[in-house]
Every structure is written in structure tokens, then in C-alpha cells.
Amino acid sequence: MKIRLGVPKGSLQEASLQLLGRAGLNVFTNGRSYLASTNDSEVECMLIRAQEMARYVEHGALDVGITGLDWVLESGLTVVTVADLIYAKQSRGKVRWVLAVPEDSPYRIASDLDGCTVATELVQVTRKYFAEKNISVNVEFSWGATEVKPPMLADAIVEVTETGSSLRANRLRIIDTVLESNTQIVANQRAWADPCKRQKIENLALMLCGALHAHGRVGLMLNVRRDDLEAVLSVLPALKNPTIATLSNQDWVAVNTIIEESEAWKVIPQLKAAKAQGIVEYPLNKVVM
């Protein structure tokens, strides 16, 4: 039994391949081919644009794929949402599709654009957004470089952004959020109904989510006298409650926990001041919740 996995080609490709690698599924790509092999004989890969992923998953050419909620909604097709993966091209956050106009534009809110032209790659979602507000606009498909189209080629745009830096660089001002989106694992309905394929897909999702939860976090191990345990625990910003184990010397305990890597710089000296000993910081590959 094999499953075929779609990996998004383009802006999400590198982040997705890195996440798959951290999950334990190494994908070996060839720059001249859309097919890729993996270190799991039961998983084949294809590199497909995120915009097309839902179509190939829904049709059954792919059993499972990684794409954005935005492109699933844009496609209007029915696929199974297996899991949310909150990461993007540059960050671990969600992205926004925003309605933006030139900085010096008189348009301040969406209704000001009645009768205007809006350029976007996310055509169907944008049309639905304006229809729900009873605003009549002409939504045109944009083949790229959408930020440069106002004011000569369009009055406004709907474009995806993580940080807003590209919009600011093109002297555009955001007036509303059309859609908040994140990466998802989506599956074909027939594959999901197959017990063997479903188990494989669920295992893939489990490992990807585990790798994502581990990103930016580290583990901490330390020893402390029971008399000083409360002071140590007051320092730890635990993911959940830290694990505490008795050592061979009953006067001492071992503490194991997970913290954000950025917090270690401050936390470790505070632990030392609270009389912790044998403090070890170690990297994490996966955190399965």
C-alpha cells in the first residue's frame, strides 16, 4: 500500500520540505522533475503548486496534500481537512489576504470601492467577500505582481501578506482583512475512507504536527534538592506541568520540562540562582501533544 503526497511547489516548498524532514520523512527532489522520492517506501511525492493542490487531491491523483486553507476555499472543491499546520513562508504564523489601496487613495473602507476594479489571485473568495457586503465591484484575476497594479490598472487589490512589508514598499494601505489562512493537510475522500491509507495519513499528520510543535522549543533537565524545588518551579514556564522524578538520593529530584528556546537565555541563570544543578538544555525534534 502506497500513498501519494502533494508537496507545495513555490513559496511554501522550502518550509514544507524542512518540516517533513524534521518529522522524519526526507523528501529527495530533482530540480527537473515534479516527482520526488522519500525514505519511506510507502510514500511517493509530487511537487504541485498550492493553488492546484485541492483539485488533484479531490480528483484522486493525490491521496493527501499540503496546501493553504485559502486555496481550498478558492477551489470550491470538497476535501478532508486532516490537520492545521500553522506555518508560512517566513514564519510560524497565519497569513492574511487583505484589501489594500494606494496610501494617498480616498478609499477608507470596503464600501467606498463600489463600482471599482479589484485585482487579485484569489478571485472567488474576493467575490464572495464583496457579495456578502452587497458591494458591487469588478474583480479581475491577477497573474502576479499584484502590488504594482494600483492605481493605474486597478483601484484596489486583495493580496496575501505575512508581515505587510511588501505592501508598505509599494506604498499600499490595508483597509480590511478578507481572509485569514493557514497551511493544512488535506486528503482525498476515498483515500480517507480506506483504513490502511487513513492510518498512514493520520500518522503523517501526527508527525508533522509534532515537528511543528517542537520548532522553537527546547527541553530542559536539571536536578534540585526537594527543599529548593518550589523556587525552581516558580522559574519554569512549562509547556504543561514539568515532570518530576525522584533520584536515588531521596533528598533530590530530577525536573524535565519544555520551554521556548528564546526563554532559555533568561531562564537558565534564574534556575542556577534558585539552586538547580546539572542543568542540561537539549534540542527537540518532535513534541506530540
Side-chain angles (χ1 to χ4, degrees), residues 114-268:
D114 192 76
C116 293
T117 295
V118 178
T120 184
E121 193 175 354
L122 203 71
V123 173
Q124 300 306 321
V125 171
T126 300
R127 285 177 176 161
K128 182 180 178 182
Y129 164 83
F130 281 106
E132 289 176 347
K133 294 178 176 292
N134 295 315
I135 303 170
S136 178
V137 297
N138 174 36
V139 180
E140 292 185 345
F141 179 74
S142 173
W143 289 95
T146 307
E147 297 98 327
V148 304
K149 295 190 173 177
M152 293 184 62
L153 302 178
D155 300 292
I157 64 170
V158 171
E159 180 66 333
V160 67
T161 183
E162 281 187 62
T163 64
S165 58
S166 180
L167 295 172
R168 289 190 295 272
N170 286 279
R171 301 185 64 187
L172 295 173
R173 169 170 45 85
I174 296 172
I175 61 175
D176 199 8
T177 296
V178 173
L179 176 70
E180 191 175 68
S181 179
N182 59 267
T183 310
Q184 294 185 328
I185 306 172
V186 296
N188 171 269
Q189 292 185 87
R190 292 181 296 280
W192 191 247
D194 181 315
C196 292
K197 286 191 173 183
R198 177 167 178 162
Q199 185 63 63
K200 191 71 177 180
I201 293 169
E202 286 180 332
N203 289 346
L204 171 68
L206 176 73
M207 298 300 277
L208 286 171
C209 289
L212 199 58
H213 289 144
H215 186 67
R217 293 186 170 118
V218 295
L220 279 184
M221 295 189 301
L222 57 93
N223 297 333
V224 62
R225 288 184 179 275
R226 288 185 182 275
D227 292 344
D228 300 317
L229 179 59
E230 185 175 347
V232 164
L233 294 181
S234 69
V235 172
L236 290 174
L239 182 65
K240 288 186 177 179
N241 292 327
T243 300
I244 301 172
T246 301
L247 298 178
S248 56
N249 183 334
Q250 297 296 313
D251 293 334
W252 288 76
V253 295
V255 178
N256 200 332
T257 192
I258 296 171
I259 65 171
E260 296 293 329
E261 185 174 14
S262 59
E263 295 176 337
W265 172 259
K266 293 182 178 179
V267 167
I268 290 177

Side-chain angles (χ1 to χ4, degrees), residues 268-287:
I268 290 177
Q270 291 173 353
L271 291 171
K272 185 65 176 177
K275 300 183 180 179
Q277 296 185 18
I279 304 169
V280 177
E281 176 188 334
Y282 56 92
L284 301 170
N285 287 326
K286 300 169 196 68
V287 176

Side-chain angles (χ1 to χ4, degrees), residues 51-117:
Q51 294 92 324
E52 301 177 296
M53 193 71 71
R55 183 202 317 167
Y56 292 115
V57 170
E58 196 270 348
H59 291 175
L62 299 170
D63 296 303
V64 60
I66 299 172
T67 188
L69 169 64
D70 43 8
W71 299 118
V72 174
L73 295 176
E74 178 71 5
S75 74
L77 299 172
T78 302
V79 293
V80 178
T81 301
V82 180
D84 286 311
L85 301 173
I86 310 300
Y87 75 95
K89 179 173 61 175
Q90 300 175 5
S91 68
R92 289 171 56 195
K94 295 185 177 184
V95 299
R96 292 188 301 149
W97 285 87
V98 297
L99 178 61
V101 297
E103 287 179 349
D104 57 359
S105 168
Y107 307 124
R108 298 293 168 184
I109 57 177
S111 59
D112 291 340
L113 291 165
D114 192 76
C116 293
T117 295

